[in-house]
């Protein structure tokens, strides 16, 4: 829902938005062969290759992830690893946003996930972490309804 609200704000601000969910995609683990550094394409032919190319041409990327054990979900981390072909490419993205939710509601629950994403962003000198939104206390489906983080995500999307 955070991603939906961010996308709604960005759309209302006049931006073209495409939302890509990872839960129904086939994304294999990186083999570490580094062929992609030379070719800017991964040797693995699955959904990650197409997603990485969409990331390459996007002006802005907003990642959304549940927080599991104080870290981003495995699908997102695997996708970040598989986006390695972008490292040597002429990527368009500059601003990166991170939206997350967790059952825990303490301050800093998202710290490790943000740090992990910042490690990826640091490899792209023209990109920066432009903002984050965290929704704590989301412990079951629907628990985010009415959460103040939804409005924050919407407003952040409008400012893109």
């Amino acid at each position: 829902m955070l991603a939906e609200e961010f996308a709604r704000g960005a759309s209302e601000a006049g931006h073209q938005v495409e939302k890509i969910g990872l839960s129904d995609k086939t994304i294999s683990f990186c083999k570490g062969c580094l062929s992609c550094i030379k070719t800017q394409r991964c040797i693995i032919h699955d959904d990650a290759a197409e997603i990485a190319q969409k990331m390459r041409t996007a002006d802005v990327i907003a990642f959304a992830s549940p927080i599991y054990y104080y870290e981003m979900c495995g699908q997102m981390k695997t996708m970040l690893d598989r986006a390695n072909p972008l490292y040597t490419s002429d990527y368009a993205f500059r601003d990166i946003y991170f939206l997350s939710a967790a059952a825990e509601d303490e301050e800093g629950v998202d710290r490790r996930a943000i740090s992990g994403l910042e490690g990826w962003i640091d490899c792209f000198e023209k990109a920066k972490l432009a903002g984050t939104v965290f929704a704590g206390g989301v412990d079951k489906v629907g628990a985010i309804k009415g959460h103040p983080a939804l409005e924050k995500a919407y407003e952040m999307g409008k400012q893109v």
Side-chain angles (χ1 to χ4, degrees), residues 36-37 40 83-91 93 120 122-124:
C36 61
I37 299 299
Q40 295 179 352
N84 202 47
L86 303 179
Y87 180 70
T88 57
S89 74
D90 186 22
Y91 57 89
F93 57 87
W120 183 82
D122 284 348
C123 295
F124 297 93

Side-chain angles (χ1 to χ4, degrees), residues 1-157:
M1 289 185 72
L2 290 170
E4 292 289 336
E5 287 303 295
F6 184 94
R8 184 171 70 91
S11 290
E12 287 180 11
H15 300 287
Q16 180 182 347
V17 176
E18 181 178 2
K19 184 178 157 206
I20 300 170
L22 300 181
S23 64
D24 63 341
K25 302 294 186 206
T26 301
I27 302 174
S28 299
F29 295 116
C30 177
K31 296 179 182 292
C33 69
L34 299 179
S35 295
C36 61
I37 299 299
K38 295 176 191 145
T39 65
Q40 295 179 352
R41 296 242 181 249
C42 184
I43 63 165
I44 302 168
H45 301 288
D46 61 10
D47 294 325
E50 181 182 344
I51 295 167
Q53 288 308 306
K54 289 180 180 204
M55 290 168 61
R56 186 182 63 76
T57 60
D59 295 323
V60 172
I61 300 174
F63 291 106
S65 175
I67 300 295
Y68 296 142
Y69 300 104
Y70 300 94
E71 188 52 273
M72 70 180 78
C73 69
Q75 293 96 323
M76 184 174 147
K77 173 60 173 118
T78 300
M79 186 61 234
L80 292 177
D81 291 346
R82 289 291 306 288
N84 202 47
L86 303 179
Y87 180 70
T88 57
S89 74
D90 186 22
Y91 57 89
F93 57 87
R94 299 296 182 264
D95 290 343
I96 307 290
Y97 294 87
F98 183 61
L99 316 167
S100 62
E104 296 86 1
D105 198 17
E106 296 83 33
E107 187 171 326
V109 168
D110 59 345
R111 178 180 48 83
R112 291 180 189 144
I114 292 169
S115 179
L117 180 58
E118 286 175 322
W120 183 82
I121 293 168
D122 284 348
C123 295
F124 297 93
E125 63 183 35
K126 296 181 280 185
K128 71 179 187 308
L129 182 63
T132 66
V133 175
F134 173 69
V138 180
D139 57 357
K140 61 184 173 275
V141 174
I144 197 169
K145 188 174 181 171
H147 198 291
L150 293 171
E151 181 66 21
K152 186 175 178 186
Y154 169 73
E155 291 298 327
M156 191 175 285

